[in-house]
Amino acid sequence: MLLNRFAVVLFTLAGLGSALPAAAALPPAGPRLYLTTELLAPSSMMEGGRVVGIATDKVREAMRRAGVDYHIDVLPWKRAYHAALTRPDACVYSTTRTPEREALFKWVGPTDIAQWVLLGRADRKLQLRSLDDARSLRIGTYNGDAREAWLRSRGFTIDSTSNDWSNLPKLMAGRIDLWAAAMRSESSVLARLGFEKQVVPLLVFKEIGVYLACNRAVPDELVTRLNASFEAMVRDGTGRRIERSYEGWEPPLKSGTESLNVKIK
C-alpha cells in the first residue's frame, strides 16, 4: 500500500514537472500602450462614444499594422501630456516636436504637419510682414500648447486661456489682437462658421510636425515598428485617404460658438 501511494506521488510530480515547461513556453502577451489625446477636432474627437479624427485614425492604423494593443483616453491637454511624461507605457498625440521637447520623448510619426498662423480681425486691417511686427500686440494662445511656450520664450505678449477655441470670442471682443492658431492652408472651418470675412490669416510664422510622443521607457523596437507603419502609410497613400475622408467634416455648432470644441486647423 505504501509503495502504491509513493508511486502515485511520483506520477503526480512528474506530471506537474512536464506541464511547467509547457506553461513557460506560452507566448508572452503582446505590447499594450496607453494613448492619450485631447478633444481637438478634426484631429481627435468623440463620435458615438469612440475617439475618431484624422490623427486618431492614423494612429489606430499604425497600431494595427504594428500589432500593438492600445487604449485611448481623451483628457485635458496638460493631463494627457503629463501621462506620457510619467507613465512608462504611455504616448500622447498630436504633440508638436520642438527642440525643447526632443529629449523628453521617443517620437512616432508625424501624424500631421501643422502651420502656425496669426489670425486677426479683418476690420483692424493689421499688416504683418514678419513675426517681429507682432511684438507690441497681445497674442491669444492656450495653456500648455507648444505655440504658447514658443512665443513666450521669445518675449511676445501672451494672453493664455484653457481652451484654444475660446480665443475666437476674445479676438472678436478685442481682448486680444491676434490668435496664434494651427491651421491647414486648405481649411474651410472659418468659412463654415461664417467668420471668413471677419477673421483673416495674417502671417504663417512656422511650419512644424506633430507626432505621437512616447514615454522614454517605451521599447525602441516598438517605436521602430510604429514609425515603419507610418512610413508605409505615406507610401501607400493611406494617410492621405484618411485626411480626405474628413474633408466634408463640419464642426457641431449649437448657436454661435457656444459649446464648440474645435481648434482651427
Side-chain angles (χ1 to χ4, degrees):
M1 182 67 70
L2 182 59
L3 184 59
N4 288 342
R5 289 180 181 175
F6 183 69
V8 169
V9 171
L10 286 177
F11 180 81
T12 303
L13 289 175
L16 287 173
S18 63
L20 288 174
L26 289 175
R32 180 177 175 85
L33 290 177
Y34 174 64
L35 307 182
T36 59
T37 189
E38 63 176 335
L39 286 176
L40 186 64
S43 176
S44 49
M45 50 198 176
M46 298 300 297
E47 187 176 279
R50 189 171 188 264
V51 191
V52 298
I54 294 173
T56 302
D57 290 0
K58 289 180 181 179
V59 167
R60 288 188 186 278
E61 176 62 14
M63 295 288 160
R64 185 192 68 79
R65 294 187 182 204
V68 179
D69 192 15
Y70 63 93
H71 173 76
I72 301 177
D73 264 350
V74 175
L75 303 169
W77 177 249
K78 280 193 171 182
R79 284 177 56 196
Y81 185 84
H82 182 72
L85 276 177
T86 56
R87 277 187 59 153
D89 62 341
C91 305
V92 58
Y93 70 94
S94 293
T95 308
T96 306
R97 189 172 184 173
T98 62
E100 295 81 6
R101 291 173 172 175
E102 184 65 31
L104 299 178
F105 299 102
K106 294 179 180 179
W107 300 90
V108 174
T111 60
D112 204 352
I113 302 296
Q115 283 187 331
W116 291 358
V117 59
L118 293 176
L119 302 173
R121 277 173 44 177
D123 61 354
R124 292 192 60 183
K125 295 181 169 54
L126 294 172
Q127 293 190 4
L128 303 179
R129 294 178 298 277
S130 71
L131 193 56
D132 278 339
D133 291 339
R135 286 205 174 272
S136 63
L137 302 174
R138 294 164 298 169
I139 303 176
T141 62
Y142 80 106
N143 297 329
D145 183 67
R147 296 186 300 283
E148 178 194 44
W150 194 90
L151 289 166
R152 195 182 294 278
S153 71
R154 287 158 176 79
F156 288 89
T157 303
I158 300 303
D159 190 323
S160 189
T161 185
S162 60
N163 185 305
D164 195 35
W165 187 249
S166 62
N167 282 300
L168 178 55
K170 286 173 64 177
L171 181 67
M172 298 310 298
R175 293 166 53 198
I176 56 176
D177 302 302
L178 300 168
W179 174 12
M183 177 186 288
R184 289 174 176 268
S185 58
E186 70 273 19
S187 174
S188 61
V189 175
L190 282 174
R192 289 186 196 143
L193 300 180
F195 283 94
E196 75 277 16
K197 294 182 180 179
Q198 297 168 275
V199 178
V200 293
L202 299 174
L203 179 72
V204 174
F205 63 95
K206 195 171 182 63
E207 194 168 83
I208 194 165
V210 289
Y211 288 74
L212 180 70
C214 294
N215 187 277
R216 297 291 303 174
V218 173
D220 289 341
E221 182 271 338
L222 183 51
V223 171
T224 299
R225 280 163 49 197
L226 287 170
N227 271 313
S229 294
F230 270 96
E231 290 165 7
M233 288 162 60
V234 172
R235 289 194 303 271
D236 65 23
T238 299
R240 185 67 190 108
R241 283 195 295 273
I242 289 172
E243 292 168 7
R244 284 199 301 268
S245 72
Y246 284 91
E247 285 178 355
W249 177 85
E250 294 191 12
L253 280 177
K254 291 185 179 179
S255 61
T257 58
E258 292 87 357
S259 303
L260 183 61
N261 216 336
V262 175
K263 177 184 285 186
I264 302 288
K265 191 170 182 179

